[in-house]
Amino acid sequence: MDVLISALEGLNLWWWLGLVAALLIAELLTNTTYLLWPAAAALVTALIAPFTGWPVELILFSVLGVGFLIVGDRYVKPRLKSGADSGLNQRATYLIGERVTVVKGFTEGRGRVRHGDTEWSARTEDGADLAKGSSALVTQVDGTRLILKA
């Protein structure tokens, strides 16, 4: 028991910062966000450690760890996941609402259009055929195909 108490008395700012670093590295390897919250709790505990003793540090770390986990999982994680559909690295999503020019006449509602210096495969929403040189509005993106409204 004396060994455990002497180890606990050795808790200090640097021990907590080491725990923060270990948890963040583990979070990078797992990419789950579950280890992010104990890392945040350990960081707050590290800031308080120079002013308190080990019992307060352990209680603070436990309470903050559980609290951050609940709040983070319920409120922060869904917002992080909703950012996955932001269109980042999906160039075609930025074309929604843009006007494109038909470069090859449509047959059976399918053809090719140009926006800037790039040609795209496209189809019309209603299956209508568009003439070469006409203009259309991009309403959706389906993979690499643009969906147009005449």
Side-chain angles (χ1 to χ4, degrees), residues 10-23:
L11 294 178
N12 59 23
L13 169 75
W14 299 109
W15 190 92
W16 288 108
L17 290 177
L19 181 61
V20 170
L23 287 169

Side-chain angles (χ1 to χ4, degrees), residues 91-113:
R91 188 174 121 192
T93 58
Y94 293 108
L95 293 175
I96 296 174
E98 294 287 320
R99 285 242 171 244
V100 293
T101 305
V102 177
V103 293
K104 182 180 176 191
F106 278 46
T107 55
E108 298 178 7
R110 298 177 186 272
R112 296 201 56 84
V113 295

Side-chain angles (χ1 to χ4, degrees), residues 10-67:
L11 294 178
N12 59 23
L13 169 75
W14 299 109
W15 190 92
W16 288 108
L17 290 177
L19 181 61
V20 170
L23 287 169
L24 288 177
I25 289 169
E27 174 59 41
L28 287 172
L29 295 174
T30 60
N31 197 25
T32 61
T33 70
Y34 288 114
L35 297 175
L36 187 63
W37 314 121
L43 181 62
V44 172
T45 305
L47 297 174
I48 304 296
F51 309 107
T52 62
W54 66 267
V56 174
E57 293 172 25
L58 289 180
I59 292 170
L60 181 67
F61 175 70
S62 301
V63 170
L64 288 177
V66 170

